[in-house]
Amino acid sequence: MRLQLKGKLKNEFVKKIEKLSGENLSKCYQCGRCSGGCPSAPFMDLLPNQVMRFAQIGSQKEVLGAKTVWLCASCFTCMVRCPKGVDLARVMEAIRQISLRQNVDYISPNKLPIEKRTELPLIALVSAFRKSTA
Ligand code: SF4
Ligand code: SF4
């Protein structure tokens, strides 16, 4: 069964993922080819196609609660294997962005002394700047 959610039927979470990723979630028809080739799948709590399904129906709790998006290596294997041309790595990145923007502000980059900025992981700084400019 193909899931087609349009207009008002799409909740805000679905629209946000689609806006940030540039992907149409409805294109996925759950063939599972992405999960079959994903090198990180054995370590994930939800398989990539399961993330897609929960994202399609706007299940924010399951999508944001899964470790899967943080284990995605953005290798693009899934995109190459997907018969519908879904760029799942972009979907995963969009979900990471939504998650990071919702969390508590642990650091405020503009308030950090210059010498401390070099001690932080780059991802922490990048996400903190993203949150301040979102
Ligand atoms: S981009 Fe992410 S989800 Fe896709 S195959 Fe690579 S690790 Fe798996
Ligand atoms: S390969 Fe594409 S169509 Fe198939 S489950 Fe994955 S994202 Fe959906």
Side-chain angles (χ1 to χ4, degrees), residues 15-22 90 94-95 97-98 101:
K15 287 182 196 163
K16 186 80 175 171
I17 296 175
E18 291 191 333
K19 185 176 174 203
L20 289 171
S21 68
R90 293 185 71 165
I95 295 166
Q97 282 186 35
I98 293 169
R101 287 172 186 178

Side-chain angles (χ1 to χ4, degrees), residues 66-101:
K67 295 187 183 114
T68 296
V69 296
W70 305 104
L71 293 172
C72 167
S74 299
C75 68
F76 302 111
T77 305
C78 48
M79 185 189 74
V80 173
R81 289 171 61 89
C82 178
K84 301 295 285 182
V86 177
D87 190 341
L88 201 40
R90 293 185 71 165
V91 174
M92 297 285 188
E93 172 60 14
I95 295 166
R96 285 194 293 267
Q97 282 186 35
I98 293 169
S99 182
L100 288 169
R101 287 172 186 178

Side-chain angles (χ1 to χ4, degrees), residues 22-86:
E23 292 295 314
N24 178 357
L25 299 183
S26 302
K27 283 198 313 189
C28 170
Y29 68 126
Q30 288 295 302
C31 67
R33 282 182 58 83
C34 48
S35 301
C38 174
S40 304
F43 311 102
M44 291 170 167
D45 46 3
L46 284 182
L47 292 171
N49 70 294
Q50 292 175 317
V51 170
M52 279 300 289
R53 179 53 106 198
F54 280 124
Q56 282 176 325
I57 59 174
S59 293
Q60 194 163 342
K61 188 169 159 242
E62 282 76 12
V63 172
L64 296 182
K67 295 187 183 114
T68 296
V69 296
W70 305 104
L71 293 172
C72 167
S74 299
C75 68
F76 302 111
T77 305
C78 48
M79 185 189 74
V80 173
R81 289 171 61 89
C82 178
K84 301 295 285 182
V86 177

Side-chain angles (χ1 to χ4, degrees), residues 103-120:
N103 285 343
V104 182
D105 257 333
Y106 290 107
I107 53 170
S108 179
N110 296 327
K111 291 182 188 158
L112 278 175
I114 296 282
E115 64 276 11
K116 288 282 177 202
R117 292 182 198 181
T118 56
E119 291 172 17
L120 284 171

